[in-house]
Amino acid sequence: MIRYLNLPSIPVDIVSRLNYDFTQYKTKPLSKVYMWSDDFNEEVNRWCQQHICDTMYWGFQIMTGDQPMHKDMGTLTKLIYLINGGGNNVYTRFYDDDKNITHSFKIECNRWHVLKADSYHSVDGFEPGQTRFSLTGRIFPE
C-alpha cells in the first residue's frame, strides 16, 4: 500500500532543472519498462539529504509502460516523490497472496509517499509515449 507524507515539496526550480531527456540516462534496467538511475541526481540528492533524510541516497525511477504484478527485490519500503505520473489514468494496484486486488491508488504528483514495495503490486494505465518519472530512496533495504 501507499501512505502520503506531509514532507516539504522539492522546490520547483530544482524539479525544472532535472534532465527530462531519458535517453541520456545510464540506466539499470530491472524490466522492459522499468529502469533506475542515479545520473543527473546531484542537486536533488543534496536537497533531499538536507531536507528529508540525510542517510538515504536518492535516484530516479523511469517507467515507460505498464508494470505487471511483482514484488520489488532488495527493498521492503520506498520513499517516492512522483514527478510525472505517466498519464491521467495510471493506477498502482496492490494484491493479496492469492493475487486479488486489495487496493488501487491514483498517486498524486509532486507529493511524497511511502510504498510497501515487498507486497505484490502493479502499475497500469500508461498513455502511449508517456514516461512515469519519480525520485526514490530505499527506507528499509532487505
Side-chain angles (χ1 to χ4, degrees):
M1 289 198 307
I2 72 154
R3 296 283 188 257
Y4 287 108
L5 302 172
N6 292 321
L7 297 172
S9 296
I10 300 171
V12 174
D13 62 317
I14 292 176
V15 172
S16 70
R17 284 193 297 272
L18 293 174
N19 185 351
Y20 292 92
D21 181 353
F22 303 114
T23 63
Q24 293 184 4
Y25 284 77
K26 293 177 195 149
T27 59
K28 293 144 188 83
L30 302 171
S31 78
K32 288 182 181 181
V33 297
Y34 175 83
M35 295 149 283
W36 183 89
S37 180
D38 59 358
D39 287 351
F40 312 108
N41 76 330
E42 295 84 5
E43 183 179 20
V44 73
N45 182 63
R46 185 172 41 256
W47 185 91
C48 286
Q49 287 180 341
Q50 289 174 352
H51 299 280
I52 304 299
C53 181
D54 64 353
T55 58
M56 290 175 69
Y57 183 72
W58 302 89
F60 299 108
Q61 292 181 11
I62 303 166
M63 299 171 91
T64 57
D66 291 351
Q67 180 71 21
M69 183 176 50
H70 66 285
K71 290 183 180 183
D72 288 17
M73 302 304 277
T75 187
L76 303 174
T77 310
K78 288 182 178 175
L79 184 55
I80 300 172
Y81 190 85
L82 186 61
I83 297 166
N84 184 328
N88 293 324
N89 291 303
V90 178
Y91 286 86
T92 301
R93 299 187 196 326
F94 288 84
Y95 303 82
D96 61 21
D97 288 336
D98 294 323
K99 309 213 168 68
N100 299 306
I101 295 174
T102 59
H103 299 86
S104 186
F105 299 92
K106 187 175 176 182
I107 299 175
E108 297 175 31
C109 290
N110 303 307
R111 189 166 179 203
W112 290 101
H113 67 278
V114 174
L115 183 131
K116 188 167 173 17
D118 65 336
S119 296
Y120 284 115
H121 60 285
S122 65
V123 182
D124 310 295
F126 275 75
E127 292 178 11
Q130 291 291 310
T131 300
R132 188 174 182 96
F133 183 50
S134 58
L135 179 69
T136 186
R138 294 189 308 176
I139 297 175
F140 297 115
E142 286 184 323

